[in-house]
Amino acid sequence: MKAPLERLGWSNNDAKVYYNPRHQVLRHLQSSRACAKSRTTPARFVDEEEKKRENSLVTHDLFEQVARESKTKATFNKVIEVFIKRDIRRRGHVEFIYAALKKMPEFGVERDLVVYNKLLDVFPKEVFVPRNFIQRMFNHYPRQQECGVQLLEQMENYGIMPNVETKVLLVQIFGEKGHPVRKYQRIMYWFPKFKHINPFPIPQQLPEDPVDLARFSLTRIANDLDAKVTVYQLPYTDMTESGEELTLPHIVGIQSPSQMELLAKHNLNRPVFVEGPFPLWLRKTCVHYYVLRADPKPPEEQVEEPYDPERCFDYPLQLELDFDRDLGDNEDFDVEDLDEGPVYAMCMTSQGDQATLNQWIAGLQQNNPVLGQVPALFRLEPGPRELQGAAESVSGHSSRPHPDSHVENAQSGEDAEVILEEEARRSHGMKQ
Amino acid sequence: MSLLKITHHPPLRLLGCIHQPLFPFITPFTVPSRTLIQSGYRRPGKPREDQFPWQKIKFDLSKGLQGIKNHFTLLKNEFLGRWVGPEGKPILEHMLEQNRVVWEFRGPESLQNWTVSSDEEIGGQSRVYLKLGKNDNTCFLYGTLGSSPPKDGLTRYSGYCTMRSKQLLASFDRKKHHDWSSFNTLHLRIRGDGRPWMVNITAETYFSHQKDDIYSYFLYTRGGPYWQDVKIPFSKFFLTHRGRIQDDQHPLWLDKINTIGFTLGDKADGPFQLEIDYIGVCKDYAHTEDFAYEVYKRNPEV
């Protein structure tokens, strides 16, 4: 009896095998024939009612049908409810879950544990639990288990930790020792271990306001608690007399006392450089910053400064003890130091052209009078600026489009400093 | 009758026909097939290579002469180094060594010890390049990450870029290993752009099924213009196999280290950069942990 059934292909669509096949052999035979028939006709010729009844392609359409007008969590839940109510046997639920997993980012519910639990609830309960040791030994209902593992893996990839409800559901569906339950246990073991290991944590929701975002990222990269953030210019839109709309970019800078000290000691004959933009990634958003720096001092200018004994009263900063120190006490790495020149200040702005950065330098000059006497050269790389614009438009606030060639042309007629800048850029290019 | 029928089937088919479709070409095949013998990665759709291993060898006189020269130089160094002390260093230095710089980047020839790869090999969109930094003193790893998977129907995830050191080779292409057993901490001096990386260490293994075992840990970069000194104790490295954390964890044995690698795969599409000054190992007396994860029981328990 069994062999001809197989030849007819009843195990063809195994998602339909829910209950013990012993009792329902005949029914499956019938349904599978219908299924095989509908399979042969291409999907686009099948009319709507037939599609709704049988084909596994329905699941994709279900999302399009139910959630046609808006894609939110509510409509996603509605789709799941529609699916659950449609068929008491939950026919094609594996396909439905795969489709739902794929659609989750579209509906914006990929980080929602409740939705995952609800999706897991679609699985029929206690059907896939192995009942004897042979079933337990072999992979019992592998497709369903694979699907459950896939769901948990998507949770894992989005960093969602399952809860007790998930576990109860999984145990009900797949039994105590099924693969999905194992996967759950693995997640519960490893996730808490690595939850807080990032030494530079980033909040899940980055601040929306560009100034706040700039403040956050500047304090992150400055790595100095004494560093002070200064907002040189807030973004605002202004109307000029001729009716043009003028958008002023935000300029946020950071400078620490030690950087000010370094800048005060800067040799007046040597220029300082404004470099950038350099990328900084905060999870999935990329911001760019600019750096005010100088070239490293040539070896003849480097002076070893003696420690000021009054700098710290609690303990001496320098010890002149003549112990027998040998190789075993040497804790420094044997590498030559990299000298890249000091960094004097950093800033972030939405518009990285020379005029804006000049404004930043002018603002810095209030606290650092040296900058008035030192020539400042701009080494701005054009490359990532378009990227920055793209990243910003993604993150929500738009920046005024500014083609680089236009900016450079506008500046080329101004004064002799530009020539210097060009030279600087060329030498910079040669150095690379 | 039915019994007879069943006996005609090969046993594998018998098991498979319960769950797997009889017409695998018609129905979508969602369950990936697992092979018993692990071979290297072959892109879906690419034909199997039908060549004997000796057909891939290039015989060339000049290459042979160069090889002889290189190998005998290495052999000479090995002999003479043994005369000086273990690993070519005086015994006192070897015993009192507190830290060692294993890889530093000074000059273009230091980049020869590294290979870069990205998911371009599996049809992805990431690109990765390696060059020297501004002053020829650092290694600058840059490129773009693209995490959309290739459309071959099998690959589900994509988007990685990686840089890996080459296997140390002694003369006549014998394998040589790093012996870090007197150290307990990995020390890196890096400058990143805020992205999280992963440090992968492979050790020499005995059985062939362990050849893809990798010990990994996370490397978080701060970003910004300043260099960052990172110390990662070796006890924190956890065992992974082909990208999956293993249930049976085991501490990393430091006496035979083959390679170290850095992998980026944080699913944030866009350009990335990582600058490395040096990679060293050091002895941290304040760190006494042997292994950071439970080894006394499996997780999940069986």
Side-chain angles (χ1 to χ4, degrees), chain A residues 35-291:
Chain A
C35 176
K37 221 181 264 172
S38 73
R39 222 171 251 282
T40 50
T41 47
R44 61 173 184 275
F45 297 128
V46 182
D47 57 345
E48 285 299 311
E49 292 83 40
E50 199 177 344
K51 231 182 189 179
K52 263 179 210 160
R53 252 190 291 119
E54 277 298 334
N55 210 326
S56 68
L57 287 171
V58 180
T59 48
H60 275 286
D61 294 304
L62 194 65
F63 279 97
E64 298 302 323
Q65 281 168 10
V66 178
R68 192 173 288 154
E69 61 282 351
S70 69
K71 298 197 166 177
T72 55
K73 187 183 169 183
T75 47
F76 195 86
N77 284 336
K78 208 171 128 198
V79 175
I80 297 177
E81 273 159 29
V82 165
F83 180 81
I84 289 176
K85 273 183 199 148
R86 202 169 55 176
D87 187 359
I88 197 166
R89 300 187 196 290
R90 312 248 169 109
R91 202 159 283 191
H93 66 281
V94 172
E95 285 85 350
F96 174 76
I97 289 171
Y98 276 128
L101 285 179
K102 215 175 229 176
K103 292 269 176 185
M104 277 179 112
E106 261 178 56
F107 285 74
V109 290
E110 76 273 19
R111 294 183 175 279
D112 203 327
L113 179 59
V114 183
V115 174
Y116 280 105
N117 282 344
K118 190 150 182 165
L119 203 54
L120 211 55
D121 209 13
V122 171
F123 277 114
K125 312 285 174 306
E126 290 171 13
V127 182
F128 310 133
V129 182
R131 294 184 197 172
N132 51 43
F133 74 97
I134 292 180
Q135 287 179 346
R136 208 167 289 130
M137 197 157 62
F138 293 105
N139 204 355
H140 199 49
Y141 283 103
R143 268 202 185 174
Q144 281 76 2
Q145 292 207 35
E146 192 101 13
C147 182
V149 170
Q150 191 89 348
L151 189 138
L152 284 168
E153 198 170 299
Q154 182 160 338
M155 287 173 78
E156 188 190 2
N157 285 345
Y158 283 110
I160 314 294
M161 199 151 115
N163 60 3
V164 183
E165 197 186 334
T166 320
K167 183 177 185 180
V168 170
L169 278 170
L170 285 172
V171 168
Q172 272 183 354
I173 298 162
F174 297 108
E176 284 282 354
K177 305 219 161 168
H179 289 296
V181 180
R182 287 288 169 81
K183 179 81 188 169
Y184 166 83
Q185 284 169 329
R186 276 172 202 136
I187 292 177
M188 294 307 272
Y189 179 77
W190 289 106
F191 260 36
K193 280 206 184 308
F194 299 141
K195 204 171 181 182
H196 297 296
I197 55 162
N198 191 348
F200 321 112
I202 309 167
Q204 194 72 45
Q205 284 288 326
L206 285 173
E208 286 289 318
D209 183 32
V211 178
D212 285 344
L213 185 65
R215 186 175 282 140
F216 171 74
S217 30
L218 282 174
T219 41
R220 177 186 162 102
I221 62 178
N223 193 13
D224 192 347
L225 292 178
D226 296 332
K228 227 178 78 187
V229 177
T230 319
V231 181
Y232 294 101
Q233 184 174 288
L234 283 168
Y236 68 96
T237 317
D238 199 13
M239 297 291 276
T240 53
E241 289 158 2
S242 54
E244 278 179 33
E245 198 171 302
L246 187 70
T247 313
L248 288 174
H250 67 273
I251 307 172
V252 185
I254 194 167
Q255 201 180 26
S256 66
S258 56
Q259 283 173 338
M260 282 171 75
E261 204 177 304
L262 276 174
L263 185 51
K265 281 184 209 155
H266 183 77
N267 188 348
L268 296 185
N269 298 325
R270 298 190 170 276
V272 290
F273 300 102
V274 179
E275 288 182 7
F278 299 109
L280 171 72
W281 283 88
L282 306 164
R283 283 187 203 275
K284 308 244 161 150
T285 41
C286 186
V287 290
H288 289 88
Y289 61 93
Y290 296 83
V291 164

Side-chain angles (χ1 to χ4, degrees), chain A residues 237-356:
Chain A
T237 317
D238 199 13
M239 297 291 276
T240 53
E241 289 158 2
S242 54
E244 278 179 33
E245 198 171 302
L246 187 70
T247 313
L248 288 174
H250 67 273
I251 307 172
V252 185
I254 194 167
Q255 201 180 26
S256 66
S258 56
Q259 283 173 338
M260 282 171 75
E261 204 177 304
L262 276 174
L263 185 51
K265 281 184 209 155
H266 183 77
N267 188 348
L268 296 185
N269 298 325
R270 298 190 170 276
V272 290
F273 300 102
V274 179
E275 288 182 7
F278 299 109
L280 171 72
W281 283 88
L282 306 164
R283 283 187 203 275
K284 308 244 161 150
T285 41
C286 186
V287 290
H288 289 88
Y289 61 93
Y290 296 83
V291 164
L292 178 73
R293 72 177 329 149
D295 273 342
K297 278 185 186 173
E300 66 268 11
E301 275 186 33
Q302 278 173 1
V303 221
E304 193 74 26
E305 287 197 9
Y307 276 104
D308 183 11
E310 289 179 12
R311 218 172 93 186
C312 178
F313 289 114
D314 299 332
Y315 53 89
L317 289 173
Q318 206 173 16
L319 270 182
E320 294 288 339
L321 295 176
D322 198 20
F323 287 137
D324 262 343
R325 291 173 73 84
D326 66 354
L327 206 60
D329 301 314
N330 180 19
E331 291 186 352
D332 297 326
F333 280 89
D334 181 26
V335 278
E336 49 188 297
D337 283 340
L338 274 184
D339 194 6
E340 295 191 314
V343 175
Y344 294 139
M346 289 170 275
C347 95
M348 278 176 67
T349 169
S350 60
Q351 194 177 324
D353 54 8
Q354 204 177 337
T356 319

